[in-house]
Amino acid sequence: MEDSPEKSYDPFDSTLVFVDRKDDLDPFSSEDGNGQLRAQMSCGHAVTPDSLTQWSCHQLDQGNYKFKCPAIVEGTRRCNKPWSYQEVRRLADLSVEEMQYFEENIARLAAAEHSEIQPCPRCKSNVERKDLTNLCVVCPVCTADQGKSYQFCWQCQKPWKGAARRSDHCDNDGCSNKNLELLQTCKTIDLPEVQGATNCPSVRACPECGIILEHSRKYCKNLICPRCHAEFCFVCLKLKETCNKTSTPYNLCQGGVAPRQTSIPVWIESRQESESVEEVDDISLAEPEELYLPGPKKRRRWPRLKIPKALVKLIK
């Protein structure tokens, strides 16, 4: 994206509440805001369009699409009041290109979070698969309607056939794991900005939770999973901290390109939640690298991240 001038609010915009205090998202902001107008968010904290754009983009980069105010209140406790995307869009003064980037990524992250929900093939009501190791799913609506258990296959979307509790396929003809087939048959790509990264499968399953991802072919070789938030190397499939011990984000891994995946990890969500660090309200408990500090105001390119086209076709 071309460099754009520093953003500023229209002083005659009557829909905004302007305040005469420092920017709460920028710890280096002065009381006069260096001449920049500051507007008040719904929670009462002050922002500038640049600081809000940088902060919210940082959140998306980290796999967070539910925006919460990070301003500090009462010593070290964070505000954490929710901000809607509509509010962020308006007060960040997002350009058309920025809105497209935000909305595509918000949709992608939300879809990943709810990837274990899909409509029942009979009644079309949404059903959640709670046991990710079992393809046999019961629709509560159809079960109540018929007076007996209605089971269908999560994979082929047909009434269940065969012995229950299977993780590979049911006994219906043609029932197979489309994601696994995609991993085996997808084309190969080069990562132009990663030295030596050639002939890499274009589609990978996250090594932690198994969600299907595609690299944009821009920037470094690492991806942040939108579902489990693990950061891993798209080339060698190791977690970032392991890969970085023997290579850099812009160089080929020591072991080269990992072969095509022949299995998909199953995400045990309860385990992931228990192992994750709870949301930090008190910044004194957080590691330094977890805190967001806005750097020099500079414009950035907005990469278009997407769900693989081949996977979209399979879903449809």
Side-chain angles (χ1 to χ4, degrees):
M1 188 176 83
E2 297 292 330
D3 286 354
S4 55
E6 188 176 77
K7 297 179 180 181
S8 61
Y9 293 125
D10 178 357
F12 300 104
D13 187 345
S14 60
T15 66
L16 300 178
V17 178
F18 296 113
V19 293
D20 187 21
R21 59 176 186 270
K22 70 176 185 177
D23 181 352
D24 287 305
L25 297 191
D26 185 353
F28 305 109
S29 171
S30 59
E31 290 294 334
D32 63 4
N34 297 321
Q36 264 197 317
L37 286 174
R38 284 133 291 155
Q40 182 173 283
M41 300 292 287
S42 57
C43 61
H45 289 102
V47 300
T48 62
D50 275 311
S51 69
L52 183 56
T53 299
Q54 289 189 53
W55 175 83
S56 52
C57 182
H58 174 78
Q59 294 300 297
L60 289 178
D61 289 345
Q62 297 301 311
N64 302 318
Y65 70 96
K66 297 176 182 177
F67 304 116
K68 294 182 180 180
C69 177
I72 306 305
V73 295
E74 298 177 6
T76 60
R77 188 171 59 84
R78 290 180 179 175
C79 172
N80 266 343
K81 293 290 177 62
W83 292 339
S84 68
Y85 166 64
Q86 289 75 16
E87 181 180 15
V88 170
R89 179 182 63 192
R90 186 165 64 93
L91 277 86
D93 192 23
L94 297 182
S95 67
V96 172
E97 186 179 4
E98 289 170 343
M99 282 191 286
Q100 182 178 26
Y101 172 81
F102 271 61
E103 289 165 15
E104 286 181 353
N105 280 275
I106 288 171
R108 176 178 61 86
L109 293 168
E113 184 175 284
H114 300 288
S115 61
E116 294 308 321
I117 295 177
Q118 62 179 349
C120 165
R122 181 176 179 272
C123 70
K124 307 305 179 186
S125 64
N126 286 331
V127 179
E128 179 182 8
R129 182 169 70 137
K130 295 181 179 180
D131 183 357
L132 303 190
T133 64
N134 186 14
L135 291 174
C136 182
V137 180
V138 175
C139 173
V141 174
C142 291
T143 296
D145 182 51
Q146 295 183 345
K148 61 179 181 179
S149 178
Y150 176 77
Q151 301 173 327
F152 69 93
C153 177
W154 192 259
Q155 191 159 263
C156 70
Q157 287 282 287
K158 296 178 181 178
W160 184 264
K161 186 177 180 180
R165 193 164 187 81
R166 293 280 298 269
S167 61
D168 49 357
H169 59 80
C170 69
D171 287 348
N172 283 302
D173 292 339
C175 182
S176 61
N177 191 321
K178 304 301 182 184
N179 287 346
L180 194 56
E181 290 180 2
L182 179 60
L183 292 173
Q184 293 292 304
T185 60
C186 67
K187 65 180 180 179
T188 59
I189 59 170
D190 300 340
L191 302 185
E193 298 184 39
V194 181
Q195 186 177 0
T198 60
N199 295 319
C200 179
S202 61
V203 178
R204 296 290 207 181
C206 169
E208 291 291 295
C209 73
I211 191 172
I212 301 299
L213 298 171
E214 184 177 46
H215 200 288
S216 68
R217 302 184 66 205
K218 295 180 180 179
Y219 314 121
C220 76
K221 61 189 180 183
N222 297 317
L223 291 183
I224 297 176
C225 176
R227 179 160 70 174
C228 69
H229 297 173
E231 190 165 5
F232 70 95
C233 173
F234 194 81
V235 176
C236 72
L237 295 176
K238 295 178 182 177
L239 293 180
K240 176 185 174 182
E241 56 266 28
T242 302
C243 179
N244 279 358
K245 292 178 181 178
T246 56
S247 69
T248 68
Y250 289 92
N251 285 283
L252 183 63
C253 321
Q254 186 180 55
V257 178
R260 293 179 182 272
Q261 292 160 287
T262 57
S263 62
I264 298 177
V266 173
W267 190 39
I268 308 300
E269 189 171 2
S270 59
R271 181 187 67 188
Q272 189 271 341
E273 289 176 348
S274 66
E275 291 178 351
S276 64
V277 178
E278 292 186 2
E279 185 174 356
V280 179
D281 289 339
D282 190 324
I283 63 169
S284 63
L285 301 177
E287 294 296 327
E289 62 269 21
E290 292 176 334
L291 303 181
Y292 169 74
L293 296 177
K297 292 187 172 89
K298 52 186 179 181
R299 317 312 300 172
R300 61 176 285 163
R301 291 185 295 169
W302 300 89
R304 298 188 64 183
L305 305 179
K306 56 187 182 299
I307 297 174
K309 291 181 180 178
L311 179 57
V312 172
K313 292 179 182 178
L314 290 174
I315 294 173
K316 288 181 178 180

